[in-house]
Amino acid sequence: MDADRNYIKSFVRTVPDWPEKGVMFRDITPIFQNAKALRGTMDAFAQRYISQNVDIIAGIDARGFLLGVTIAYELNCGFIPIRKKGKLPYKTYSEEYTLEYGSAAIEVHTDACPKGSRVVLFDDLIATGGTMVAAAKLIQRMGGVIHEAAAIIDLPDLGGSRKILDMGVPVHALLSFEGH
Amino acid sequence: MDADRNYIKSFVRTVPDWPEKGVMFRDITPIFQNAKALRGTMDAFAQRYISQNVDIIAGIDARGFLLGVTIAYELNCGFIPIRKKGKLPYKTYSEEYTLEYGSAAIEVHTDACPKGSRVVLFDDLIATGGTMVAAAKLIQRMGGVIHEAAAIIDLPDLGGSRKILDMGVPVHALLSFEGH
């Protein structure tokens, strides 16, 4: 398993000072550009969940879509998009979360998740955890059970994975980077 | 093939007067929520391209991501995200397109597509075609060749697929709806 992770990690591109000075941005697009790295990443997650009791994959707008749909396909599950405010056309639940300055909201269709469904929640990266926590609350509001919150990258120094664990939700990331 | 298409079409939810009065919005999220409809949709595209000469799948932010990655996975291709302005961290090419009021821009990483690559371009729906035409120009600017522009839904009355064909790019949609 560890060799595979180093292989995938070698495709993450670090862009310094983006989107603002002092941030080391971890760019996952090179993973997706390479057919083998793409396959290795998707299969690593699919293998983790294939024998577990998972009904639905949810992905957070927009990089969580890059991961979640293929894993749903592999596991023969349905996929739920969790979108930024104003993007979903049908009846929605909405959840606000705070950003460094101000706040934002994400939404889900109210009929997206049957009560009692076991859901794995996907985003590309866990930083401060605000989006993932809000997404987990949306799933729980529909009566869904969060099986795990999953991402390619965790930035543990920013405290997001700790915050998710504190709400009783297990966390799984393929890769971990120090700093932010 | 036609039976499959009707099956998939039965999952498209029409939301009247969204995002504005008079528009019949075709909501594809129920396709993704259903494991069989999701699989049928992805496999229909993958079967179309499996024996063709395709190197890369590109998907347009954000609903094009829902389709493109899984099809890249199935075809053992790489995937390129074409994003709304300001979302990609590395060097980008940018292309403007006009909206009903004003304009918007989409971007791609400059190193995303080796010269001569054959690319299938994915979005969920073709309406006026502005985004798809801009995306095709971005791929061509990198020296890529558009093998086909593909979507789940075409709205031929809005003229987008005609506009894409007029630039010499073949178009393929699984479903077609009258009106807009």
Side-chain angles (χ1 to χ4, degrees):
Chain A
M1 197 61 169
D2 282 293
D4 292 348
R5 292 190 190 207
N6 286 334
Y7 176 73
I8 293 165
K9 198 166 190 172
S10 73
F11 286 90
V12 175
R13 171 165 52 196
T14 297
V15 181
D17 298 323
W18 197 91
E20 55 191 63
K21 190 124 188 95
V23 175
M24 301 291 275
F25 188 83
R26 311 298 179 175
D27 176 19
I28 57 163
T29 63
I31 296 177
F32 291 81
Q33 277 172 231
N34 182 279
K36 280 172 71 179
L38 172 61
R39 181 159 283 264
T41 302
M42 297 302 177
D43 290 354
F45 285 111
Q47 281 183 40
R48 180 174 179 85
Y49 299 117
I50 195 84
S51 63
Q52 298 181 17
N53 186 12
V54 174
D55 302 307
I56 293 175
I57 303 293
I60 298 173
D61 193 350
R63 290 191 206 98
F65 295 179
L66 297 173
L67 278 172
V69 181
T70 306
I71 293 155
Y73 175 91
E74 287 196 76
L75 299 174
N76 270 316
C77 291
F79 173 83
I80 306 174
I82 295 177
R83 299 221 57 179
K84 282 160 195 147
K85 196 184 173 82
K87 297 285 184 181
L88 288 171
Y90 190 64
K91 283 171 271 175
T92 57
Y93 292 125
S94 184
E95 188 74 38
E96 281 209 8
Y97 58 100
T98 52
L99 299 169
E100 204 178 347
Y101 305 103
S103 70
I106 50 175
E107 299 184 332
V108 72
H109 277 150
T110 55
D111 65 348
C113 176
K115 268 199 178 63
S117 303
R118 296 190 62 83
V119 179
V120 179
L121 191 53
F122 273 93
D123 207 348
D124 63 325
L125 183 143
I126 300 170
T128 62
T131 327
M132 200 67 114
V133 166
K137 285 182 187 164
L138 282 177
I139 299 292
Q140 289 171 343
R141 219 152 121 192
M142 288 185 287
V145 178
I146 314 286
H147 180 78
E148 193 155 75
I152 298 182
I153 294 172
D154 184 27
L155 304 178
D157 297 348
L158 293 184
S161 42
R162 169 55 46 202
K163 211 183 293 174
I164 299 161
L165 284 167
D166 282 349
M167 69 185 286
V169 170
V171 177
H172 173 67
L174 226 46
L175 309 175
S176 178
F177 285 87
E178 288 181 16
H180 59 88
Chain B
M1 195 65 167
D2 282 293
D4 293 347
R5 292 189 189 207
N6 286 334
Y7 176 73
I8 293 165
K9 197 168 191 171
S10 73
F11 287 90
V12 175
R13 170 166 53 195
T14 297
V15 182
D17 298 324
W18 197 91
E20 55 193 63
K21 190 123 189 98
V23 175
M24 300 290 275
F25 188 82
R26 310 299 178 173
D27 176 19
I28 58 164
T29 63
I31 295 177
F32 290 82
Q33 276 170 232
N34 183 280
K36 280 173 69 179
L38 172 60
R39 182 160 285 265
T41 301
M42 298 301 178
D43 290 355
F45 285 111
Q47 281 184 40
R48 179 174 180 84
Y49 298 117
I50 195 85
S51 62
Q52 297 181 17
N53 186 12
V54 173
D55 302 308
I56 292 175
I57 303 294
I60 298 174
D61 194 350
R63 290 191 205 97
F65 295 180
L66 297 174
L67 278 171
V69 181
T70 306
I71 293 155
Y73 175 90
E74 286 196 77
L75 298 175
N76 269 316
C77 291
F79 173 83
I80 305 175
I82 295 177
R83 298 221 59 180
K84 282 161 195 146
K85 197 185 171 80
K87 297 285 185 181
L88 288 171
Y90 190 64
K91 282 172 271 177
T92 57
Y93 293 125
S94 184
E95 189 72 39
E96 282 208 8
Y97 58 99
T98 51
L99 300 169
E100 204 177 349
Y101 305 105
S103 71
I106 49 174
E107 298 184 331
V108 72
H109 277 151
T110 55
D111 65 348
C113 175
K115 267 198 179 63
S117 305
R118 296 190 62 83
V119 179
V120 179
L121 192 53
F122 273 94
D123 207 350
D124 62 326
L125 182 142
I126 300 170
T128 62
T131 328
M132 200 67 113
V133 166
K137 286 182 186 164
L138 282 177
I139 300 292
Q140 289 171 343
R141 219 152 121 191
M142 289 186 286
V145 177
I146 314 286
H147 180 78
E148 194 156 72
I152 298 183
I153 295 173
D154 184 26
L155 305 177
D157 297 348
L158 293 184
S161 41
R162 170 53 48 201
K163 211 183 295 172
I164 299 161
L165 284 167
D166 283 349
M167 67 185 287
V169 171
V171 176
H172 173 67
L174 226 48
L175 310 174
S176 177
F177 285 87
E178 288 181 15
H180 58 88

